[in-house]
Amino acid sequence: MADLRYFCQSIPKIELHAHLNGCIRSSTFRQLLTSSDDQIRLDTLDKNFSSGDTHSRMANVFEKFALLRSCVTNLDDIRRITRETLEDFIDDNVMYVELRTRPRSFDNGKIPSSNYIEAIIEIIKEYEEKICSRLILSIDRTQTLEQAMETLKLAEKYRTYVVGLDLSGDPNIKSFERFLPVFNLAKDRNLSTTIHIGELPDEECLNENNLIINYKPTRLGHFNFRTNEQEQRVIKEKIPLELCPTSNLLTMKLTNLTEHHFNLFYKNKHPLAICTDDSGLMNCCLSSEIFDLVQTFNLTKQEIYDFMLQTCNLIFDKNMIDFCQKKLKDFFLKQ
Ligand code: 6MZ
């Protein structure tokens, strides 16, 4: 097993579902919390996390995101978070990452959201030799249609680095239908899309799943809760899934991975990516996410390699597929 763990650590990996601010190191988060009230609030959130069902766990996670958002106040903070995130991925032998983030302005709009994106791109370029990074811009479920349109415009403006559009945020808010015009435009303009789907076990969420599947985004995130019919449609239409084991376990309140939906889709040879979601807040890294699944479902080195090769096809920046597959092949030949 130590050998397999080492294999998962050293194999070149790709990360397709990572929320930039959710990747913040916990030490950095603590440093950015300047008031003692905020420190206490974070401690209380940590302490209370494990009590309650999926809905209350999700509410806890989103309170933490609100706290995080309130203490990231300038471009230097975002440069630091990006730098540390890329360093952590490099340490974990990630060769290609698609970071997603919701553009934001600072200083009551004096520093516009275009500056936020430029600050991240500046760091991406700094690390280009060690890791290839691309951006996906997130639309938050609480935003207005106008704000979402602005995000689409930004995605087009920074197209060399921005490779897609995401819908994320508190899954209690069912707003996919509201954003459909933006996502349709994204499709018309050949911009890839990824939508968070089925994060909560309630009826409203299951109803929204149908709208999302009808839209047929380029990829789907999570898909924790679904009907049999929805599951079959996604399999039949081969819509790739981004699965985030630690995050899914935590929010779904599962005790171990045997019940995780990875197995079901894997057995169906469905296009899949294993991802971290919020590596800092969830305290995980990509190699351990992969190793935990490998151990639970008894995958061999050959199967891990084949799995990673198929994940390369799901990359939004199609120019990078050959590069990633070649690095994987070179690594595997040396084994
Ligand atoms: C839905 C999530 C998420 O954009 O500030 N985010 N949205 N489900 C999840 N899984 C539990 N994890 C993270 O990164 C942080 C933001 O990503 C979204 C939340 O809206 C969070 O505020 P950025 O870089």
Side-chain angles (χ1 to χ4, degrees):
M1 270 306 161
D3 180 40
L4 259 187
R5 186 187 285 279
Y6 180 72
F7 182 81
C8 292
Q9 212 286 319
S10 46
I11 192 167
K13 288 172 281 291
I14 61 179
E15 166 63 79
L16 301 184
H17 188 131
H19 296 271
L20 179 58
N21 284 289
C23 295
I24 190 170
R25 291 178 183 164
S26 50
S27 52
T28 303
F29 192 2
R30 292 262 163 202
Q31 276 174 25
L32 293 183
L33 291 173
T34 42
S35 82
S36 57
D37 278 359
D38 283 349
Q39 301 269 3
I40 294 167
R41 200 168 150 216
L42 182 58
D43 290 337
T44 314
L45 285 170
D46 279 339
K47 207 171 92 216
N48 293 346
F49 177 76
S50 42
S51 56
D53 60 4
T54 295
H55 279 92
S56 50
R57 280 167 175 247
M58 203 60 94
N60 180 301
V61 168
F62 277 88
E63 254 194 86
K64 219 186 233 187
F65 281 130
L67 181 61
L68 173 60
R69 200 172 158 79
S70 71
C71 70
V72 175
T73 55
N74 57 59
L75 292 179
D76 277 342
D77 290 346
I78 203 65
R79 283 192 192 95
R80 175 181 177 181
I81 294 169
T82 309
R83 190 173 284 122
E84 291 178 353
T85 297
L86 292 185
E87 280 172 6
D88 292 343
F89 279 129
I90 292 163
D91 277 353
D92 200 27
N93 289 314
V94 174
M95 58 176 153
Y96 174 90
V97 56
E98 285 173 8
L99 291 172
R100 60 186 71 190
T101 195
R102 167 186 171 185
R104 61 181 294 193
S105 57
F106 292 113
D107 247 350
N108 292 322
K110 281 192 217 112
I111 300 172
S113 41
S114 53
N115 288 25
Y116 176 89
I117 297 172
E118 283 166 18
I120 299 169
I121 293 176
E122 179 192 317
I123 307 300
I124 285 178
K125 285 183 180 164
E126 217 177 272
Y127 282 85
E128 229 153 27
E129 296 282 301
K130 293 186 177 155
I131 187 167
C132 174
S133 316
R134 296 290 180 262
L135 273 176
I136 294 173
L137 298 190
S138 297
I139 293 168
D140 187 273
R141 284 179 170 276
T142 57
Q143 288 185 294
T144 62
L145 181 61
E146 289 68 35
Q147 288 169 323
M149 280 294 184
E150 280 307 306
T151 303
L152 174 65
K153 275 194 205 145
L154 284 170
E156 297 208 273
K157 180 169 174 200
Y158 295 99
R159 195 97 190 222
T160 340
Y161 284 91
V162 175
V163 291
L165 210 59
D166 156 67
L167 178 68
S168 54
D170 188 344
N172 277 298
I173 300 155
K174 313 290 184 276
S175 43
F176 178 68
E177 200 169 7
R178 172 149 49 94
F179 297 124
L180 204 50
V182 178
F183 281 98
N184 281 332
L185 269 179
K187 226 177 223 178
D188 290 347
R189 294 174 189 174
N190 268 327
L191 191 64
S192 297
T193 55
T194 170
I195 315 277
H196 283 56
I197 185 172
E199 286 192 88
L200 289 172
D202 55 50
E203 209 176 309
E204 279 188 326
C205 194
L206 293 178
N207 287 340
E208 196 190 48
N209 285 357
N210 286 329
L211 296 178
I212 297 172
I213 298 170
N214 288 344
Y215 167 72
K216 204 170 178 198
T218 325
R219 298 195 306 244
L220 290 168
H222 304 304
F223 208 30
N224 300 341
F225 300 100
R226 60 210 174 267
T227 63
N228 280 343
E229 198 197 347
Q230 289 167 352
E231 193 173 286
Q232 287 313 311
R233 277 191 66 195
V234 166
I235 291 175
K236 192 163 160 260
E237 297 187 29
K238 292 193 166 49
I239 311 178
L241 290 181
E242 305 151 356
L243 303 177
C244 310
T246 296
S247 165
N248 301 155
L249 279 192
L250 289 173
T251 52
M252 289 168 84
K253 207 183 173 181
L254 296 179
T255 44
N256 71 63
L257 282 172
T258 49
E259 299 160 72
H260 191 274
H261 44 303
F262 167 81
N263 201 30
L264 176 129
F265 288 98
Y266 181 68
K267 279 194 301 203
N268 276 286
K269 299 193 177 2
H270 192 76
L272 291 177
I274 301 172
C275 316
T276 54
D277 205 13
D278 299 289
S279 54
L281 292 194
M282 306 284 181
N283 194 19
C284 62
C285 68
L286 188 54
S287 51
S288 57
E289 294 300 279
I290 295 170
F291 175 70
D292 290 346
L293 285 173
V294 162
Q295 199 180 25
T296 308
F297 300 110
N298 292 316
L299 268 61
T300 62
K301 283 184 186 173
Q302 179 71 52
E303 285 167 334
I304 302 169
Y305 168 72
D306 292 340
F307 178 85
M308 310 276 270
L309 270 184
Q310 67 79 37
T311 301
C312 292
N313 294 318
L314 313 185
I315 287 173
F316 281 168
D317 186 345
K318 298 297 170 209
N319 295 322
M320 292 308 297
I321 297 177
D322 284 352
F323 167 84
C324 291
Q325 289 188 330
K326 182 169 183 320
K327 275 194 116 174
L328 261 173
K329 282 177 191 156
D330 290 348
F331 169 86
F332 201 62
L333 278 174
K334 282 196 211 124
Q335 295 301 300

